[in-house]
Amino acid sequence: MKVFNTLTRTKEEFVPVDKNEVKIYACGPTVYNFIHIGNARPLCVFDVLRRYLEYRGYNVKFVQNFTDVDDKIIKRANEENSTFEEIAQKYIDEFWIDAHGLNFKEATVHPKATQNIDEIIKIIKSLEEKGYAYAVDGDVYYRTLKFKGYGKLSHQPIDDLKSGARIAVGDKKEDPLDFALWKAAKEGEPYWDSPWGKGRPGWHIECSAMNRKYLGNTIDIHCGGQDLIFPHHENEIAQSEAANDAPFSKYWMHNGYINVDNVKMSKSLGNFKTVREIAQVYGYEVIRYFLISSHYRSPINYSLDIIEQCKSALERLYTCRDSLDFAIKNASKDIDDDEEILNLINSRKEQFIKALDDDLNTADGIAAIFDLVSDINTKIINKEVSENVCKAAASMFDELCGVLGIVYNRKSNDIDDEIQSLIDKRQQARANKDWATADAIRDELKAKGIILKDTPQGVTWVKE
């Protein structure tokens, strides 16, 4: 497998640091609001990464954090006459509704910043002792220019970074590029005791501390949205490598931006879409499909037309899978296996793996699944094939869709005795050429949410 490494700007062979375990850290949400589709893209994309690595036989330790204390959380708490703890927990709960709806596989660990204050203080103290951090009136800053590799992830020369930085009036920093590791408590804000007085952690240090605590000094993959490359991930590297005297992450993977109707999504423009509001109309699975339907590094465009296309694509997948169930049920056990079809089915797995081995190319992976669907529709559905061939096709379909985390809302194929009795009566009416009765029963079943389809192998049905 090859992945594009933001650090080197090249596609590299993926070789884990420890052959027995792949360690991945994904930056999680700051929990002060519902997640939007920009938040959901890395959630779904790197969920596929984790699933695929496990599919290929790796043992994966996946950590995704919650930032549960932050200026935005405190602001929301003040607006709602609440506490920061209540706001954070409220939106963590809302996050899980959306994440589970998107079929996100829970991480190995979901640490919270507030649960790791001791580790955060410990790493800041080590940075201070090494001369990488300095305290001023209860604040602690990182001495950026002391870290010689600063800018290596964002590939920006230090002079360019300095020219874009400014020191505000009254700022206590030694240099414009220095950033806060610890913030002295302000009136009415939450705080924790520390060697520098009462205060709370800066944003960047949280991830460095939780990375080290749960995954160790050097991890395999650090991932997140493209917007986090600078300054967040750049600052994480500076903190972690200075504190640990070791490389921080071997590979860095970043997903592209989302546009809405061809305009970059942003809260300032008011064009951002929450996962919840889209799901209320289209359901969660359409959102997941949309977010993985393009290569993860490419920008993607959200529009109603594109969402409708994704909905139609999923319906085609569900129809194929339901047709396979019917084919299995009605297949002959006396027909020999067709080796040509079995080989064709297996070739789609090779096609799928080749796609995802190439920097997690989910777009080509989906194409492989639809090629399999085409094979099933032309060579299996409504054809005389063995039960084993039908089952092999269904198994391959489920296997590949499972890696992408799609087609996870299949309805039960069980129907009650009353519905089955009506289907049987209609079949008898058709055998007797009593078309009026057959049509009346079809209409009755449709009113009950059962849609019939007549095939050469018999009648099949789907629930609306």
Side-chain angles (χ1 to χ4, degrees), residues 316 320 323 372-381 383:
R316 185 181 169 200
C320 176
S323 296
L372 175 63
V373 167
S374 180
D375 297 336
I376 291 167
N377 288 338
T378 57
K379 299 183 180 298
I380 296 177
I381 304 302
K383 305 290 184 181

Side-chain angles (χ1 to χ4, degrees), residues 158-426:
I158 200 75
D159 289 342
D160 290 352
L161 293 173
K162 288 187 72 172
S163 67
R166 295 288 183 271
I167 293 185
V169 175
D171 206 324
K172 305 166 187 175
K173 296 190 292 186
E174 293 177 355
D175 187 271
L177 280 179
D178 294 351
F179 55 89
L181 300 173
W182 188 262
K183 299 179 179 181
K186 296 177 182 177
E187 184 67 30
E189 288 189 350
Y191 63 82
W192 288 263
D193 291 324
S194 80
W196 314 282
K198 299 181 186 302
R200 58 187 173 91
W203 176 36
H204 312 299
I205 197 65
E206 296 173 7
C207 287
S208 285
M210 288 185 276
N211 251 299
R212 185 169 79 173
K213 179 177 178 178
Y214 295 99
L215 295 174
N217 289 348
T218 302
I219 67 174
D220 292 290
I221 301 173
H222 198 312
C223 48
Q226 185 179 333
D227 56 311
L228 297 180
I229 295 174
F230 186 85
H232 185 50
H233 289 165
E234 195 76 72
N235 291 351
E236 277 189 68
I237 290 174
Q239 296 164 160
S240 295
E241 295 193 354
N244 304 333
D245 296 316
F248 180 33
S249 182
K250 190 172 181 180
Y251 307 93
W252 290 83
M253 297 176 69
H254 294 93
N255 64 272
Y257 291 113
I258 293 183
N259 297 324
V260 176
D261 295 322
N262 296 309
V263 177
K264 184 181 174 183
M265 188 178 74
S266 72
K267 292 185 178 178
S268 62
L269 293 176
N271 68 341
F272 74 99
K273 302 288 184 181
T274 67
V275 168
R276 189 70 55 87
E277 65 181 311
I278 300 171
Q280 286 171 348
V281 179
Y282 291 98
Y284 285 102
E285 188 172 6
V286 175
I287 301 172
R288 182 181 178 99
Y289 185 93
F290 162 67
L291 293 172
I292 67 170
S293 60
S294 299
H295 191 280
Y296 75 93
R297 285 192 288 116
S298 302
I300 56 174
N301 184 55
Y302 172 89
S303 70
L304 292 182
D305 285 346
I306 292 172
I307 287 294
E308 287 287 353
Q309 291 170 19
C310 292
K311 179 183 176 184
S312 296
L314 276 171
E315 287 172 352
R316 185 181 169 200
L317 292 177
Y318 275 94
T319 298
C320 176
R321 188 60 183 82
D322 289 340
S323 296
L324 275 173
D325 275 346
F326 182 75
I328 292 169
K329 183 178 178 181
N330 292 278
S332 171
K333 293 181 172 60
D334 300 325
I335 300 176
D336 292 335
D337 295 341
D338 189 320
E339 293 297 330
E340 182 180 346
I341 298 177
L342 289 173
N343 290 335
L344 185 60
I345 290 168
N346 289 327
S347 74
R348 298 310 178 193
K349 177 177 180 176
E350 295 169 8
Q351 180 184 347
F352 180 85
I353 288 174
K354 182 179 179 181
L356 269 73
D357 270 354
D358 185 14
D359 193 28
L360 202 70
N361 193 332
T362 53
D364 284 356
I366 288 173
I369 291 174
F370 273 102
D371 284 344
L372 175 63
V373 167
S374 180
D375 297 336
I376 291 167
N377 288 338
T378 57
K379 299 183 180 298
I380 296 177
I381 304 302
N382 300 332
K383 305 290 184 181
E384 289 291 329
V385 295
S386 69
E387 181 183 29
N388 186 51
V389 166
C390 294
K391 287 182 175 180
S395 176
M396 185 62 69
F397 181 99
D398 292 345
E399 182 178 320
L400 303 187
C401 287
V403 175
L404 299 184
I406 56 175
V407 192
Y408 57 91
N409 284 312
R410 292 189 66 217
K411 296 176 183 177
S412 169
N413 284 328
D414 295 332
I415 53 175
D416 58 35
D417 292 341
E418 179 189 359
I419 298 297
Q420 187 61 59
S421 176
L422 286 170
I423 292 174
D424 293 342
K425 286 180 180 178
R426 178 177 175 275

